[in-house]
């Protein structure tokens, strides 16, 4: 059997992290089995359609370097869904329903009041054929519903969850065709997955309760059933379903914030799956090799930006080569960043970059004027006159040498507190109390700039 997997995102707005998560596992499983990973666009929900959203989804997958084959949009195949639903009507598995939204609403309220599960009461299943035809001919608004068997257990072997069984009595007579002539998800997903010869449907657990409907449709059409795998849903840190209120869920926004696609992808691999050697950091190729559904857990994995931050920093520090980090940083360098300095500055701040975006704030003092205050120069331990004394001595030492040992010898010979002295000097040279190693910084700044900053600080005290 050729393995063919797919994602079927709906272009309803943001390109969601959950889509990247599904794409990654679908892609890895297909690659592992020399199969193919496809993308189709589920755009039949016209009310939620957002122009341009489709392109953002493709751009996001490209950025994450998850390869895929583009296929089609559902809206391009409307006639196939109508043909499919007609087959179901002929076979007695679907029927026309003319109930108005108002009637359905009243029915729902009454059922709720009786504490029953709201579901369609099948009024229209009893309509005589001629009446149906007459109402159709007169153009009356209608939908087409699936006729659920009354009491049948539908089971399947889920790759993530083992055997799942759901009784059809828990299921509504699902609308398959809406009054606008567009299919619902349930009809379209089956017709499309069959057309695309999808062998494995790997999707979010929110579709578990829909799967029996899909299985019945496959049976009614006489089509080969795919294997199902229902992945756990990503969660916020408080374990609620990952949502934009509590988490950033948009893939492009992670790109803008300076996350590396490699790091985000690696982090997503660990959502509900663990490496057999307990590794955190591994390449996509390795994931493809060692992935198996048997190591998937069913509890919802927590998408924790703090852990992603750790992983991103680790990729910047240790995984990527220096030239790769430089290339990745390029779009994040402020306009006035002296680009020829990057190879000199990067080694000084690389340890402290969490996102690529940090490059600006962490290195600004190299090429922007600094404005330390007297209080900052004094730090917690020194008086104003002590700070001045430190800076004057530092200045005359720096005029002779840029060696840290020389400076230390001078400080010790005076019997000064090293911490206090270096706080003052650091603030004078970098404008901040925390900086990359001071003497490495001084060497990048150069003699002229360093001395003029120390002199300017002396005049403040
Ligand atoms: N359009 C559905 C979604 O975006 C597809 C679900 C499926 O994979 O079957 O969640």
């Amino acid at each position: 059997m050729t393995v063919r997997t797919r994602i079927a995102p709906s272009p309803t707005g943001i390109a969601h992290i959950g889509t990247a998560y599904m794409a990654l596992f679908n892609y890895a499983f297909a690659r592992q089995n020399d199969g193919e990973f496809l993308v189709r666009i589920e755009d039949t929900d016209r009310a939620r359609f957002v122009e341009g959203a489709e392109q953002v989804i493709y751009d996001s997958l490209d950025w994450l370097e998850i390869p895929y084959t583009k296929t089609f949009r559902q809206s391009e195949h409307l006639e196939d869904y109508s043909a499919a639903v007609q087959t179901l009507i002929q076979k007695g598995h679907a029927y026309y329903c003319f109930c108005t939204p108002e009637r359905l609403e009243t029915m729902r309220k009454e059922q709720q009041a009786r504490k029953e599960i709201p579901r369609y009461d099948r009024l229209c299943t009893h309509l005589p054929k001629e009446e149906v035809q007459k109402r159709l001919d007169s153009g009356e608004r209608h939908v087409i519903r699936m006729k659920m068997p009354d009491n049948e257990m539908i089971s399947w072997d889920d790759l993530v969850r083992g055997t799942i069984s759901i009784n059809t009595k828990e299921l509504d007579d699902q609308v398959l065709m809406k009054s606008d002539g567009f299919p619902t998800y349930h009809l379209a997903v089956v017709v499309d997955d069959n057309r695309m010869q999808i062998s494995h449907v790997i999707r979010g657990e929110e579709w578990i309760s829909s799967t029996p409907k899909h299985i019945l449709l496959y049976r009614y059409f006489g089509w080969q059933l795919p294997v199902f795998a229902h992945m756990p849903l990503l969660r916020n840190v408080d374990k609620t379903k990952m949502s934009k209120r509590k988490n950033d869920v948009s893939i492009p926004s992670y790109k803008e914030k300076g996350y590396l696609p490699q790091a985000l992808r690696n982090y997503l691999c660990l959502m509900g799956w663990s490496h057999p050697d307990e590794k955190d950091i591994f390449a996509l190729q390795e994931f493809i090799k060692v992935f198996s559904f048997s190591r998937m857990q069913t509890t919802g994995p927590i998408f924790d930006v703090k852990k992603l931050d750790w992983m991103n920093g680790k990729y910047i520090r240790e995984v990527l080569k220096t030239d790769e980090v430089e290339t990745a940083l390029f779009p994040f360098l402020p306009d006035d960043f002296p680009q020829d300095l990057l190879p000199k500055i990067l080694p000084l701040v690389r340890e402290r970059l969490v996102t690529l975006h940090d490059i600006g704030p962490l290195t600004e003092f190299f090429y922007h004027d600094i404005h330390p205050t007297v209080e900052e120069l004094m730090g917690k331990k020194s008086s104003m006159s002590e700070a001045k004394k430190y800076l004057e001595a530092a200045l005359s030492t720096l005029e002779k040498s840029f060696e840290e040992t020389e400076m230390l010898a001078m400080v010790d010979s005076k019997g000064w507190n090293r911490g206090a002295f270096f706080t003052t000097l650091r603030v004078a040279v970098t404008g901040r109390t925390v900086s990359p190693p001071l003497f490495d910084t001084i060497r990048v700044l150069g003699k002229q700039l360093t001395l003029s900053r120390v002199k300017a600080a002396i005049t403040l005290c």
Side-chain angles (χ1 to χ4, degrees):
M1 172 185 55
T2 311
V3 168
R4 289 162 73 87
T5 63
R6 57 38 167 200
I7 55 164
S10 303
T12 53
I14 33 178
H16 201 283
I17 285 284
T19 300
Y21 172 53
M22 284 313 143
L24 184 63
F25 282 74
N26 271 282
Y27 166 71
F29 183 73
R31 280 294 306 135
Q32 183 179 65
N33 292 285
D34 294 322
E36 204 179 355
F37 167 57
L38 312 163
V39 179
R40 79 163 174 264
I41 300 292
E42 295 208 331
D43 63 344
T44 47
D45 188 347
R46 301 319 279 178
R48 294 175 64 218
F49 179 81
V50 174
E51 195 66 48
E54 173 183 324
Q55 194 50 46
V56 183
I57 294 170
Y58 286 129
D59 291 346
S60 298
L61 294 177
D62 292 341
W63 175 66
L64 283 166
E65 290 177 15
I66 300 173
Y68 57 89
T69 305
K70 250 188 202 185
T71 60
F72 59 91
R73 301 182 190 95
Q74 288 182 328
S75 57
E76 295 161 352
H77 285 288
L78 294 183
E79 63 295 340
D80 293 12
Y81 310 116
S82 320
V85 88
Q86 284 308 321
T87 309
L88 294 176
I89 290 176
Q90 274 153 25
K91 292 186 177 177
H93 297 304
Y95 61 92
Y96 291 99
C97 170
F98 298 92
C99 291
T100 60
E102 295 73 35
R103 173 174 189 274
L104 294 175
E105 189 48 35
T106 315
M107 180 196 79
R108 242 189 306 272
K109 283 204 181 116
E110 285 169 7
Q111 288 171 334
Q112 267 160 0
R114 291 195 300 267
K115 304 227 180 319
E116 291 170 10
I117 305 167
R119 63 154 56 120
Y120 181 55
D121 61 4
R122 295 192 158 166
L123 179 73
C124 290
T125 48
H126 309 296
L127 294 178
K129 251 198 169 114
E130 307 71 54
E131 184 185 337
V132 170
Q133 197 51 53
K134 224 167 61 209
R135 292 171 79 167
L136 287 177
D137 291 344
S138 72
E140 192 173 332
R141 214 178 131 92
H142 63 272
V143 300
I144 300 173
R145 287 181 186 272
M146 179 171 177
K147 193 164 181 192
M148 265 314 145
D150 282 335
N151 181 9
E152 191 180 327
M153 199 56 106
I154 307 288
S155 302
W156 74 96
D157 284 326
D158 196 278
L159 281 183
V160 177
R161 285 149 207 273
T163 305
I164 302 181
S165 303
I166 297 177
N167 194 304
T168 52
K169 67 180 178 213
E170 290 169 36
L171 304 172
D172 205 353
D173 275 4
Q174 178 66 51
V175 174
L176 297 176
M177 198 58 100
K178 293 177 278 187
S179 57
D180 62 3
F182 279 79
T184 57
Y185 161 71
H186 305 280
L187 174 65
V189 74
V190 170
V191 172
D192 291 340
D193 283 343
N194 178 66
R195 176 215 309 273
M196 291 160 74
Q197 309 248 289
I198 298 304
S199 62
H200 293 74
V201 171
I202 305 167
R203 63 182 169 196
E205 65 184 322
E206 71 268 39
W207 301 110
I208 289 178
S209 60
S210 305
T211 303
K213 301 173 192 170
H214 303 174
I215 291 177
L216 284 170
L217 289 175
Y218 277 96
R219 187 191 295 167
Y220 298 154
F221 288 127
W223 292 338
Q224 166 88 32
L225 199 64
V227 177
F228 291 97
H230 286 95
M231 305 282 287
L233 275 187
L234 302 183
R235 312 242 149 210
N236 300 310
V237 174
D238 65 4
K239 301 209 169 121
T240 53
K241 181 178 152 195
M242 190 167 169
S243 63
K244 62 180 167 207
R245 256 186 325 114
K246 297 188 179 158
N247 236 319
D248 195 345
V249 296
S250 131
I251 308 169
S253 119
Y254 284 88
K255 177 183 176 189
E256 276 157 34
K257 286 183 182 165
Y259 289 92
L260 290 161
Q262 300 92 322
L264 180 55
R265 218 171 47 201
N266 189 158
Y267 187 55
L268 286 174
C269 291
L270 294 170
M271 294 288 102
W273 180 82
S274 58
H275 192 288
D277 302 331
E278 313 270 301
K279 281 199 217 168
D280 286 321
I281 307 285
F282 45 85
L284 183 55
Q285 287 315 313
E286 183 170 341
F287 179 57
I288 293 168
K289 239 198 241 141
V290 301
F291 170 75
S292 84
F293 279 108
S294 64
R295 295 192 64 81
M296 276 314 293
Q297 58 174 47
T298 49
T299 40
I302 307 276
F303 188 93
D304 183 351
V305 177
K306 284 207 198 80
K307 294 206 176 120
L308 174 62
D309 281 346
W310 170 82
M311 188 164 282
N312 207 55
K314 182 113 176 148
Y315 264 79
I316 295 175
R317 287 192 302 276
E318 295 169 25
V319 182
L320 261 57
K321 297 197 203 78
T322 304
D323 60 325
E324 291 171 329
V325 177
E326 285 178 7
T327 311
L329 281 171
F330 216 70
F332 293 89
L333 297 177
D335 290 342
D336 54 353
F337 190 96
Q339 278 176 18
D340 48 322
L341 275 191
L342 186 59
K344 286 189 190 157
I345 294 179
L346 180 57
L348 305 188
V349 294
R350 190 163 171 180
E351 281 292 312
R352 294 179 46 224
L353 292 174
V354 173
T355 67
L356 301 168
H357 207 81
D358 294 339
I359 189 74
L362 281 181
T363 61
E364 231 173 9
F365 69 89
F366 280 102
Y367 54 95
H368 277 176
D369 288 345
I370 58 167
H371 305 283
T373 64
V374 182
E375 288 70 30
E376 286 165 341
L377 286 165
M378 287 159 35
K380 288 200 182 77
K381 293 195 184 123
S382 315
S383 64
M384 200 185 330
S385 65
E386 280 170 326
K388 190 177 181 110
K389 207 167 57 182
Y390 295 156
L391 290 171
E392 284 170 344
L395 182 64
S396 64
T397 306
L398 285 169
E399 275 167 345
K400 285 180 273 163
S401 154
F402 267 23
E403 289 306 319
E404 187 167 10
T405 47
E406 296 276 327
M407 193 65 81
L408 284 169
M410 183 278 287
V411 174
D412 291 348
S413 75
K414 307 254 189 203
W416 290 339
N417 177 313
R418 283 186 178 183
F421 172 86
F422 280 106
T423 298
T424 303
L425 182 56
R426 185 184 304 279
V427 171
V429 174
T430 67
R432 37 176 76 207
T433 48
V434 182
S435 77
L438 186 57
F439 278 81
D440 293 338
T441 303
I442 285 176
R443 275 188 283 276
V444 173
L445 284 171
K447 189 161 183 170
Q448 209 189 348
L449 190 53
T450 306
L451 295 185
S452 75
R453 285 185 177 181
V454 177
K455 282 179 196 159
I458 292 172
T459 65
L460 288 174
C461 302

